[in-house]
Amino acid sequence: FLTVFAFAILSTIFSIIGPKIMGKAVTKIGEGFGAKMMALKLHQPIPAMDFKYIGQIVLILIGLYLISAAFSYLQQYIMAGVAQKTVYNMRKEVDEKLSLLPLKFFDSRTHGEILSRVTNDFDNISTTLQQSLTQLITSIVTIIGVIVMMLSISPLLTLIVILTLPLYIVVTMNIAKRSQKH
């Protein structure tokens, strides 16, 4: 679980850093277009766009997203193994428990009812371990990471977003209540 948790954090961090680095490329492109417009306006030679810098940013982004994908894959792979081992051990324990039950327990229930209950419960546990737990970890790290990234870009805009968040929630709830009727 600790390895999965670490890989989830690393995967999320690498994917959160990407947009901030992409912003540098967008800024450089904007500066290039701005310089071209000024040159056209002033009838001066048109400067070249700094494609070397933009290319370096693109390579860094590709690397970041590949690393993020690798950590995400490893996290899912390890968690699938953990979930399967956990469910396997639980099935063995349930099998041992069922073999100790008296015959009247089995006489009072259908064979399908017992199998259905055990199978569904184990499927739910497996799904929870494989998907829900990793999504919870990733979601929490994403929220924290995005807030930190927003603060590093613009504390004022971050404050505005956080302060208006309750308004978004109230408006969404009101719209959802009215739209559910239709």
Side-chain angles (χ1 to χ4, degrees), residues 34-74:
K36 285 183 185 235
M37 292 302 182
M38 286 300 285
L40 286 172
K41 187 176 180 179
L42 300 174
H43 303 291
Q44 296 176 346
I46 298 175
M49 184 78 68
D50 191 359
F51 286 112
K52 182 179 179 184
Y53 178 79
I54 296 168
Q56 290 172 345
I57 296 286
V58 169
L59 290 175
I60 291 170
L61 285 171
I62 289 170
L64 280 175
Y65 288 126
L66 285 175
I67 292 169
S68 174
F71 279 125
S72 180
Y73 174 79
L74 288 171

Side-chain angles (χ1 to χ4, degrees), residues 81-97:
V82 168
Q84 292 305 315
K85 286 178 186 174
T86 302
V87 170
Y88 176 76
N89 290 335
M90 290 175 71
R91 284 184 180 173
K92 279 179 37 181
E93 290 176 12
V94 166
D95 183 47
E96 292 169 5
K97 176 84 173 184

